[in-house]
């Protein structure tokens, strides 16, 4: 049996190098339990496993007859060996996954709908599991503060996962005016242990910077903190499982399949590379919007984020400084410090073999893809199929890949949010007949709840969090 990975900071070592071996031998790594509860390395790096466990080929073949829950347990076991027993992972799967991916065959392609969870977002797959990891791993009852930033979907999924959890207080930062009305209501109507802050005059990159600064601030050392963004390995790892699930339902044994992945902060894309290293015969097509830092990097080998993010219909991918690019660099023998400093270039030849293409889809082309898909495919038998802007970006990238390469094999396209979360984009294209799932329908006619309108000022936000944290500690003691 493989030894479970240890976890190192992406700032301190590089995967697969002697320098990493030295870190491990000196004991400068942490366990998975420590990594999940830390959220981020103290030096600001992202926590990376010192190796990626392999899944035996015979197990992968057996997955063809398994559901998502069992596949999740099998994929997580090598990571959690010695941390959580199999029975605990099985219980977590039963509790977390009252929903599952839904795969639609469309022409030569497959739409993998990851929008069936409690907040109609693919983020539910990571966060429903992460909440239960933390429940199983916590050793004390002191208040744990989860600080997270969101471009829309993460916030609602974090709020739903942790709402009412004893001993946990959640702070969510989002850019005011830059998420949909329903996304905001998913956060601000819950109350209780969910604290929502709408930050003025910034974007997701700005909120992410604030959240990371709060995590590392030595003046807040007395506040026990972690993250629920995909920088937290406990939020990230469960995403690997739905790659295995989709592959098992679409591919023949050992058949090579492509995934078209809509990408913003790049946790989803990184999970695909982890799945490939674990044994899946897959390659990736990365789909970004007009925030094209990865597309330019893939084409030129020069990593140079723009000065700021560009507004796009696919607002959850409105990211110019993707945090998980640090993990992607590591996976190819490189090292990125912070959001911009390339310390060691990754192996671009290997990266391009595994990430076969990258496409940047303009705002206009995104709108056309939403409308074009609806016109051609909105009725599939009795299934009413529609794409929202994020899925449309991936769909358009898959089409361009086929046109550019002549590829006629299977492509699995991720749809990462329910179309009903983005009514403004759909109405713009004359699409008005999308049926909302219950989790969204109940929000349409109720007013917004309470949230804190905050200036884009770190000192003010830090002071407010300390004030509110003191109240939460006092309430916990009652």
């Amino acid at each position: 049996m493989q030894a479970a990975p240890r976890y190192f900071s992406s700032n301190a070592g590089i995967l697969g190098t002697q320098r990493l071996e030295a870190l491990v031998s000196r004991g400068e790594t942490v366990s998975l339990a420590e990594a999940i509860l830390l959220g981020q390395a103290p030096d600001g790096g992202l926590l990376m496993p010192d190796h990626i466990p392999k899944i035996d080929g015979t197990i992968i073949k057996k997955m063809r007859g398994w559901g998502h829950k069992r596949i999740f347990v099998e994929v997580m076991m090598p990571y959690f060996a010695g941390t959580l027993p199999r029975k605990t992972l099985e219980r977590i799967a039963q509790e977390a996954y009252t929903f599952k991916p839904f795969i639609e065959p469309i022409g030569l392609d497959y739409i993998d709908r990851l929008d069936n969870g409690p907040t109609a977002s693919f983020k539910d797959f990571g966060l429903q599991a992460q909440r239960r990891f933390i429940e199983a791993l916590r050793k004390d009852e002191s208040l744990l503060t989860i600080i997270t930033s969101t471009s829309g979907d993460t916030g609602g999924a974090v709020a739903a996962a942790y709402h009412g959890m004893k001993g946990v207080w959640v702070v969510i930062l989002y850019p005011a005016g830059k998420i949909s009305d329903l996304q905001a209501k998913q956060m601000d109507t819950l109350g209780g242990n969910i604290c929502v802050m709408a930050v003025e005059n910034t974007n997701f990159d700005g909120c992410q910077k604030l959240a990371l600064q709060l995590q590392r601030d030595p003046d807040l050392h007395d506040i026990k903190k972690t993250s629920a963004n995909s920088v937290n390995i406990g939020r990230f790892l469960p995403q690997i499982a739905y790659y295995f699930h989709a592959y098992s339902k679409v591919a023949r044994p050992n058949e090579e399949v492509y995934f078209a992945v809509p990408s913003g902060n790049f946790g989803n894309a990184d999970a695909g590379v982890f799945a490939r290293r674990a044994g899946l015969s897959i390659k990736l097509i990365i789909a970004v919007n007009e925030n094209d830092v990865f597309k330019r990097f893939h084409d030129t080998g020069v990593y140079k984020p723009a000065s700021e993010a560009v507004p796009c219909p696919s607002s959850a991918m409105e990211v110019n400084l993707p945090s998980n690019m640090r993990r992607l660099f590591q996976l190819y023998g490189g090292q990125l410090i912070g959001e911009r400093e390339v310390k060691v270039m990754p192996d671009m030849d290997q990266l391009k073999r595994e990430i076969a293409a990258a496409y940047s889809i303009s705002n206009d082309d995104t709108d056309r893809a939403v409308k074009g898909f609806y016109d051609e495919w909105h009725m599939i038998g009795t299934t009413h199929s529609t794409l929202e802007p994020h899925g449309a970006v991936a769909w358009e990238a898959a089409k361009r890949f086929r046109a550019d390469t002549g590829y006629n094999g299977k492509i699995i396209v991720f749809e990462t949010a329910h179309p009903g979360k983005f009514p403004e984009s759909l109405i713009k294209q004359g699409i008005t007949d999308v049926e909302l799932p219950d989790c969204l329908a109940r929000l349409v006619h109720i007013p917004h709840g309470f949230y804190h309108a905050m200036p884009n000022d770190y000192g003010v936000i830090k002071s407010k969090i300390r004030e509110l944290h003191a109240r939460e500690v006092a309430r916990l003691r009652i």
Side-chain angles (χ1 to χ4, degrees):
M1 185 177 179
Q2 306 171 73
R6 299 283 296 177
Y7 293 81
F8 68 97
S9 169
S10 62
N11 285 356
I14 300 176
L15 188 64
T17 64
Q18 289 184 339
R19 184 178 170 189
L20 176 57
E21 292 174 8
L23 287 178
V24 174
S25 66
R26 293 198 301 265
E28 297 178 19
T29 57
V30 298
S31 68
L32 179 56
E34 292 170 307
I36 291 172
L37 293 173
L38 275 171
Q40 189 177 4
D43 65 2
L46 301 197
L47 289 162
M48 278 286 294
D50 62 7
H51 68 278
I52 297 174
K54 292 281 189 183
I55 306 292
D56 189 88
T58 58
I59 298 296
I60 294 174
K61 288 179 183 178
K62 289 180 181 178
M63 289 180 182
R64 300 183 79 188
W66 296 353
H68 175 262
K69 292 176 187 177
R70 186 168 179 185
I71 291 172
F72 164 83
V73 173
E74 206 65 47
V75 173
M76 292 299 100
M77 269 302 300
Y79 292 95
F80 281 88
T83 299
L84 292 177
R86 186 182 186 94
K87 285 188 176 180
T88 299
L89 287 174
E90 290 172 344
R91 176 182 58 76
I92 287 171
Q94 288 298 322
E95 292 177 0
Y97 297 124
T98 56
F99 55 97
K100 61 184 179 180
F102 175 66
I103 300 173
E104 293 177 340
I106 299 192
L108 291 174
D109 300 322
Y110 298 81
I111 303 291
D112 190 5
R113 293 192 174 273
L114 303 175
D115 57 1
N116 297 307
T119 69
S121 164
F122 83 107
K123 308 293 177 74
D124 292 321
F125 283 92
L127 284 158
Q128 289 293 321
Q130 187 204 26
R131 177 239 168 97
R132 289 161 177 85
F133 294 157
I134 287 177
E135 280 181 320
L137 295 171
R138 289 186 70 198
K139 302 298 184 186
D140 63 68
E141 296 183 359
S142 61
L143 185 67
L144 176 65
T145 298
I146 294 176
I147 299 174
T148 197
S149 54
T150 184
S151 53
D153 284 335
T154 293
V158 171
Y162 287 97
H163 184 232
M165 183 174 172
K166 185 178 178 182
V168 170
W169 182 53
V170 178
V171 178
I172 304 170
L173 307 175
Y174 76 86
K178 295 188 177 180
I179 66 174
S180 77
D181 194 57
L182 286 177
Q183 286 175 319
K185 285 182 179 180
Q186 285 184 311
M187 295 180 279
D188 65 32
T189 56
L190 292 178
N193 65 327
I194 306 300
C195 172
V196 181
M197 294 186 172
V199 184
E200 302 288 345
N201 301 315
T202 192
N203 52 28
F204 171 73
D205 288 330
C207 287
Q208 183 166 244
K209 182 179 179 181
L210 290 166
L212 295 176
Q213 195 172 352
L214 289 163
Q215 290 278 358
R216 297 176 58 201
D217 192 328
D219 288 343
L220 299 176
H221 69 89
D222 55 313
I223 297 178
K224 189 175 181 180
K225 304 178 292 295
T226 191
S227 171
N229 286 98
S230 53
V231 297
N232 188 312
I233 198 75
R235 150 70 198 282
F236 168 81
L237 289 176
Q239 296 179 239
I240 304 169
Y242 55 65
Y243 278 89
F244 278 85
H245 175 267
Y247 183 89
S248 74
K249 301 300 170 272
V250 166
R252 300 185 304 274
N254 302 316
E255 180 184 9
E256 185 173 81
V257 170
Y258 285 73
F259 280 81
V261 187
S263 301
N265 211 26
F266 272 74
N268 205 2
D270 285 1
V273 181
F274 270 62
R276 177 184 166 88
R277 300 289 173 85
L280 279 192
S281 182
I282 64 173
K283 290 184 178 180
L284 304 186
I285 301 162
I286 297 299
V288 297
N289 54 28
E290 291 188 10
N291 295 284
D292 62 349
V293 56
F294 182 79
K295 159 67 172 168
R296 289 184 284 108
F297 176 58
H298 191 275
D299 287 353
T300 68
V302 177
Y303 189 73
K304 188 177 181 181
S307 57
E308 61 183 21
V310 178
C312 294
S314 50
S315 56
M317 292 155 50
E318 212 168 283
V319 183
N320 178 50
L321 300 169
S323 310
N324 285 292
M325 198 59 64
R326 286 174 276 182
R327 285 197 178 113
L328 193 70
F329 267 62
Q330 287 280 335
L331 288 162
Y332 295 100
Q335 188 175 42
L336 180 68
I337 306 295
E339 288 84 11
R340 294 178 182 272
E341 183 189 347
V342 178
K343 194 167 183 180
V344 178
M345 273 292 292
D347 182 337
M348 294 301 294
D349 289 337
Q350 184 187 5
L351 185 151
K352 288 185 177 184
R353 284 194 298 272
E354 299 183 3
I355 300 177
Y359 292 94
S360 172
I361 310 303
S362 72
N363 292 350
D364 288 344
D365 285 346
T366 299
D367 289 341
R368 281 190 283 269
V370 169
K371 183 66 164 63
F373 182 92
Y374 180 85
D375 288 344
E376 187 172 3
W377 298 106
H378 75 285
M379 288 303 296
I380 307 171
T382 58
T383 301
H384 190 161
S385 186
T386 308
L387 292 181
E388 50 70 54
H390 305 78
V393 167
W395 174 257
E396 179 64 19
K399 286 175 59 180
R400 292 186 186 184
F401 179 74
R402 288 195 187 280
D404 289 347
T405 64
Y407 177 74
N408 63 359
K410 296 170 182 173
I411 300 179
I412 299 170
V413 179
F414 282 139
E415 171 57 296
T416 53
H418 192 280
K421 296 185 92 167
F422 302 92
E424 300 88 353
S425 289
L426 300 187
I427 291 169
K428 182 180 175 183
Q429 304 308 318
I431 302 170
T432 59
D433 59 349
V434 173
E435 184 176 345
L436 296 183
D438 290 344
C439 66
L440 299 179
R442 65 180 179 79
L443 297 173
V444 172
H445 298 298
I446 66 172
H448 282 275
F450 180 76
Y451 61 91
H452 300 271
M454 302 299 294
N456 184 16
D457 183 311
Y458 179 74
V460 173
I461 291 171
K462 173 181 170 180
S463 178
K464 175 60 73 172
I465 287 175
R466 184 167 282 290
E467 171 197 334
L468 296 172
H469 179 266
R471 289 186 199 174
E472 287 297 316
V473 171
R475 189 165 69 175
L476 187 64
R477 288 172 179 163
I478 294 174

